[in-house]
Amino acid sequence: MERRVVIIDDEPLILSGLSTKIDWESVNCRVTGTASNGMDGLKLIEEQLPDIVVSDIVMPFCTGLELAEKCAQLYPNVQVILLSAYSDFAYAQQAIRLGIADYVLKPVEPEMLLTAVRQAVERIEQEESRQKNLSRLEGEHQVSLRYASSFLLFEAAHQGPRVLASGLEKNLDELLRNPGAAMMLKLHNIPLGQEDVCRSMMQEAFLGELERRGFRVFCRTATVGTAVLCQLPHETEQWAGESQIRHAVCAAMENVKEAFQKAEMRETICVCMLADTYKNAEELQRIYQQCVDESKESFFATECCVIEQRSQKKRSGAYIDIQAAVHHLKNGNAEQASRELEDILEKISGECSVETAMILLKNLHFEAMQVCAMLGMPLKTINGSKYEQENFEMKADHLREFFQMVGNYAAASRDMVSRMKLLIQEHYMEFDFGLSQAAEILGVSSSYLSRLFKKETGENFGASLLAVRLKKAEYLLKTTGMNVTAVANEVGFQDGAYFTQVFRKSFQMTPSQYRETEKNRE
């Protein structure tokens, strides 16, 4: 690293000689400025903050010794080398007391000056190395203290007062001397493979803002998100601290939103579940656990936001019927299927718990996939998601798109036989369902439908319906304890005796015999 040198001397020839005729490069230095008197020299030092000052002692306005004394007070890291035409021991003594780097007699011999500069550079490097080591040790010490504090606080968050049995009461009391707040940060709609990047951006923008506002912040990655414990500034009242935290968290969330927008991750959102403040280990445990439990509600958030725990509304686990939407989808009524889906999604977002919402979304997707399979729709036309940890809004958008695609395909499909097979799967359990009902639903004549089905499948529509009913009956006899009459009714036979007759003809045994045979096989 090249060192900067300033030369101060009131003799122009000496000044010129020192700055141009000395081989400064040999000691990895460069002259960055010169001055002809002490006052100008001080201004030059203030402007440039050089590493080394080479100055004559005898100068107008401010002597070299006075200049060295001011440097020692104002710029203690600057190395000062004094020049003097007088081999006066008094000058040398005063220079030593001022901590001068070296003392070189005039006329200056280049090698003597370069030796003094080389030694000054060595002292600078030694001091820099010492400061670097001190900074490293201080940093390691602070990191260790922070880690220990974070570990203890989160242990208290998990165990509450029980952590006091570990003998760390004094340390915990010190940490809990000021009230704190618990919060959980949750990311949604993360671009595939970018979770670590998004989390790093979030923590830098969010936690950095809290720390700039004077809060002590501890965080830990949890299974449901990033847990944060935020200590109020020293001697802050709890009621005032709650307001401070609320404003700080909202400002921090704006930083996160801006960071995602700059990174062109506009779909990605961060939600902060902000809990109440705590004053002791018992409150910390209770509030932290509530924060963890309720953080899953971030699934319904549509943008970067702060949700206060106390404002959370209770959601139900009531199940919502999806069969109307599925029915219209199967029959190619794309517009009606979409309307039914919108009603379902609105109810889910406004009423359902996260668990119920996830089940309903999965069931809707599964039913749509079943329709795809029955219609013979190519699955390669279904695009996979580009995001991880999708929120409700994004999952709903995917589902809307999927329903529309499947509904349009079913409506436009010319494969009437596939439509008929779907109807059989949907209506086989109805006593009065048959060819005429299917024809009415599809809007064609029974005779046309019968001929088409026979041509494409090689069997009659009625035989295909009967096969499906018997297959379902076989499954129920194997897996349930329902009596034969109940099984018959479940699969579309109104008369139990007729069901037994048809079953025997197909399986060469009665339903009761079939069930007994299957039990013996097990």
Side-chain angles (χ1 to χ4, degrees):
M1 178 181 176
E2 188 178 65
R3 304 295 175 176
R4 296 165 298 164
V5 179
V6 165
I7 301 174
I8 306 168
D9 199 304
D10 64 337
E11 297 183 43
L13 290 177
I14 293 178
L15 191 62
S16 174
L18 289 176
S19 59
T20 60
K21 296 179 182 179
I22 300 292
D23 184 12
W24 294 103
E25 289 186 3
S26 66
V27 287
N28 198 25
C29 293
R30 177 171 60 90
V31 176
T32 59
T34 60
S36 58
N37 63 71
M39 293 301 294
D40 289 344
L42 278 174
K43 292 179 182 178
L44 187 62
I45 293 169
E46 181 181 0
E47 291 170 1
Q48 296 194 5
L49 292 178
D51 299 292
I52 299 170
V53 173
V54 178
S55 174
D56 192 9
I57 287 183
V58 180
M59 287 186 304
F61 306 119
C62 177
T63 68
L65 289 172
E66 291 172 335
L67 184 146
E69 186 173 7
K70 289 184 180 297
C71 276
Q73 294 171 355
L74 301 175
Y75 315 108
N77 293 328
V78 175
Q79 298 286 308
V80 179
I81 299 173
L82 291 180
L83 310 176
S84 176
Y86 305 97
S87 55
D88 189 328
F89 184 66
Y91 281 140
Q93 281 183 318
Q94 191 172 352
I96 290 170
R97 284 197 302 271
L98 292 172
I100 302 303
D102 216 327
Y103 185 84
V104 178
L105 294 176
K106 290 184 177 181
V108 177
E109 294 183 13
E111 273 307 311
M112 291 293 292
L113 179 58
L114 289 177
T115 297
V117 170
R118 190 177 294 110
Q119 291 173 349
V121 169
E122 288 176 359
R123 283 191 288 271
I124 291 171
E125 291 175 348
Q126 288 172 359
E127 180 60 21
E128 287 177 346
S129 177
R130 189 181 73 85
Q131 290 296 332
K132 185 176 180 180
N133 286 333
L134 284 175
S135 297
R136 178 180 58 81
L137 291 172
E138 177 63 20
E140 290 175 354
H141 177 64
Q142 291 300 323
V143 168
S144 297
L145 284 177
R146 189 180 186 85
Y147 177 81
S149 298
S150 178
F151 175 82
L152 186 54
L153 270 179
F154 278 105
E155 282 298 295
H158 286 101
Q159 299 184 40
R162 285 180 297 171
V163 77
L164 300 177
S166 62
L168 298 172
E169 296 93 335
K170 184 177 179 181
N171 306 71
L172 188 59
D173 286 345
E174 178 65 23
L175 285 172
L176 295 176
R177 182 174 58 180
N178 299 320
M183 61 196 81
M184 186 69 69
L185 301 175
K186 179 69 176 179
L187 289 170
H188 290 285
N189 308 336
I190 304 169
L192 289 176
Q194 298 294 305
E195 184 173 359
D196 289 343
V197 173
C198 289
R199 184 182 292 115
S200 178
M201 290 171 59
M202 173 193 72
Q203 291 183 358
E204 182 177 350
F206 191 92
L207 304 182
E209 179 66 26
L210 296 183
E211 289 176 342
R212 282 192 293 274
R213 289 171 177 254
F215 297 101
R216 290 186 70 194
V217 182
F218 306 95
C219 74
R220 174 180 290 185
T221 301
T223 54
V224 295
T226 300
V228 178
L229 298 177
C230 180
Q231 300 295 102
L232 297 175
H234 185 54
E235 294 183 353
T236 303
E237 293 292 338
Q238 188 172 4
W239 63 269
E242 289 178 354
S243 176
Q244 289 180 26
I245 285 180
R246 191 178 300 112
H247 285 95
V249 168
C250 289
M253 188 56 68
E254 286 299 316
N255 290 351
V256 176
K257 185 177 181 179
E258 184 178 345
F260 285 153
Q261 288 176 342
K262 285 183 179 179
E264 297 186 352
M265 295 178 177
R266 292 177 177 81
E267 298 292 341
T268 304
I269 66 171
C270 174
V271 182
C272 174
M273 179 61 65
L274 178 61
D276 295 330
T277 56
Y278 56 84
K279 303 185 297 295
N280 52 54
E282 186 175 357
E283 288 184 358
L284 171 56
Q285 183 189 28
R286 175 177 55 80
I287 289 170
Y288 178 80
Q289 190 56 54
Q290 289 175 354
C291 195
V292 171
D293 293 341
E294 297 186 15
S295 64
K296 58 189 175 185
E297 298 300 321
S298 65
F299 177 67
F300 292 105
T302 58
E303 61 181 355
C304 289
C305 62
V306 179
I307 302 175
E308 293 195 48
Q309 189 176 26
R310 66 187 68 176
S311 66
Q312 278 294 91
K313 65 178 182 179
K314 296 297 181 182
R315 292 174 171 270
S316 72
Y319 194 78
I320 298 171
D321 187 9
I322 65 173
Q323 291 310 309
V326 175
H327 168 78
H328 289 296
L329 190 66
K330 286 179 178 179
N331 289 285
N333 302 326
E335 189 173 331
Q336 186 62 32
S338 294
R339 283 199 295 268
E340 293 286 349
L341 178 63
E342 283 304 320
D343 288 342
I344 293 170
L345 294 176
E346 185 177 352
K347 289 178 181 177
I348 291 174
S349 68
E351 302 172 12
C352 293
S353 64
V354 174
E355 293 81 1
T356 303
M358 293 297 291
I359 292 172
L360 287 167
L361 292 173
K362 286 182 180 179
N363 286 350
L364 284 163
H365 188 268
F366 174 77
E367 293 288 355
M369 290 290 291
Q370 291 289 91
V371 176
C372 285
M374 291 299 297
L375 289 173
M377 181 178 173
L379 293 181
K380 65 181 180 182
T381 62
I382 302 170
N383 296 323
S385 176
K386 299 178 182 178
Y387 298 92
E388 300 177 64
Q389 298 181 28
E390 293 178 337
N391 66 343
F392 174 77
E393 185 178 45
M394 181 163 284
K395 285 183 179 293
D397 283 344
H398 292 331
L399 196 56
R400 290 185 184 102
E401 183 181 351
F402 190 22
F403 254 62
Q404 190 67 47
M405 188 187 306
V406 176
N408 290 342
Y409 187 89
S413 175
R414 294 181 180 178
D415 186 358
M416 190 69 76
V417 174
S418 293
R419 302 278 301 280
M420 293 168 72
K421 288 180 178 179
L422 277 173
L423 287 174
I424 290 174
Q425 291 291 334
E426 185 175 16
H427 298 281
Y428 73 89
M429 71 292 296
E430 298 172 11
F431 300 147
D432 58 352
F433 179 73
L435 182 63
S436 60
Q437 287 75 23
E440 184 179 348
I441 291 171
L442 296 173
V444 296
S445 68
S446 298
S447 57
Y448 168 75
L449 204 59
S450 178
R451 288 194 303 272
L452 178 63
F453 196 86
K454 177 72 174 180
K455 178 183 175 182
E456 295 295 329
T457 66
E459 63 180 8
N460 294 325
F461 181 85
S464 182
L465 173 58
L466 180 61
V468 169
R469 284 172 166 166
L470 290 175
K471 186 72 175 175
K472 300 293 184 180
E474 182 185 7
Y475 174 78
L476 292 175
L477 288 168
K478 283 182 181 179
T479 60
T480 73
M482 296 168 64
N483 62 46
V484 173
T485 300
V487 170
N489 295 158
E490 187 71 22
V491 299
F493 289 89
Q494 197 166 8
D495 186 347
Y498 177 65
F499 166 66
T500 300
Q501 180 184 341
V502 172
F503 192 91
R504 184 190 306 213
K505 185 176 180 180
S506 179
F507 291 92
Q508 287 75 51
M509 63 181 76
T510 66
S512 298
Q513 290 170 338
Y514 178 84
R515 174 176 277 168
E516 192 63 33
T517 301
E518 290 300 316
K519 284 183 179 180
N520 292 335
R521 284 181 181 175
E522 294 176 1

